[in-house]
Amino acid sequence: EVQLVESGGGLVQAGGSLRLSCAASGYIFDDYAIGWFRQAPGKEREGVSCISSSDVRDSVKGRFTISSDNAKNTVYLHINSLKPEDAAVYYCAALWGSFCRTLRPSEYDYWGQGTQVTVSS
């Protein structure tokens, strides 16, 4: 069974940075792409970035960087220069296949429980 566990969220001042982690287990790492999503109160869940064994796909340019450590089966999302509008629950999710064909949340197969990011101004 695929399991995803996010960590690294918290309260950060505007202008600060965070590194979110997504620890994956239960599958061969190269068989799935891993995406990061966020959902703010009252808003739809939106795709932020995705990484696979073949590619990287970003929908939010500039301040977000996705990376992976295959030896640890962990995918990271680095967020720099945090803004109050970045506050949300951040989720990671797994998409079957060896490339990031979509950042549409409904297409993803497995989800973590989310980690809260709060930004103080």
Side-chain angles (χ1 to χ4, degrees):
E1 181 183 353
V2 176
Q3 291 188 326
L4 302 170
V5 179
E6 303 95 335
S7 61
L11 174 63
V12 184
Q13 280 192 329
S17 61
L18 272 180
R19 187 183 77 168
L20 306 181
S21 300
C22 173
S25 61
Y27 69 97
I28 299 173
F29 203 57
D30 287 349
D31 285 346
Y32 284 84
I34 300 294
W36 278 101
F37 299 80
R38 64 182 180 180
Q39 187 167 20
K43 295 189 177 181
E44 292 187 354
R45 192 169 299 188
E46 65 169 339
V48 175
S49 190
C50 172
I51 191 167
S52 73
S53 60
S54 306
D55 63 342
V56 172
R57 179 171 178 167
D58 297 312
S59 68
V60 182
K61 304 289 185 182
R63 298 183 295 110
F64 295 78
T65 304
I66 194 169
S67 63
S68 67
D69 184 337
N70 290 2
K72 296 182 179 180
N73 281 8
T74 300
V75 174
Y76 304 100
L77 183 70
H78 303 254
I79 314 173
N80 297 318
S81 301
L82 277 154
K83 303 177 180 181
E85 53 263 41
D86 294 321
V89 178
Y90 283 74
Y91 300 89
C92 64
L95 174 69
W96 170 257
S98 58
F99 69 101
C100 295
R101 55 183 170 82
T102 180
L103 275 169
R104 187 175 299 174
S106 61
E107 300 289 333
Y108 280 68
D109 303 295
Y110 300 96
W111 290 83
Q113 82 290 348
T115 186
Q116 177 73 52
V117 172
T118 304
V119 183
S120 63
S121 56

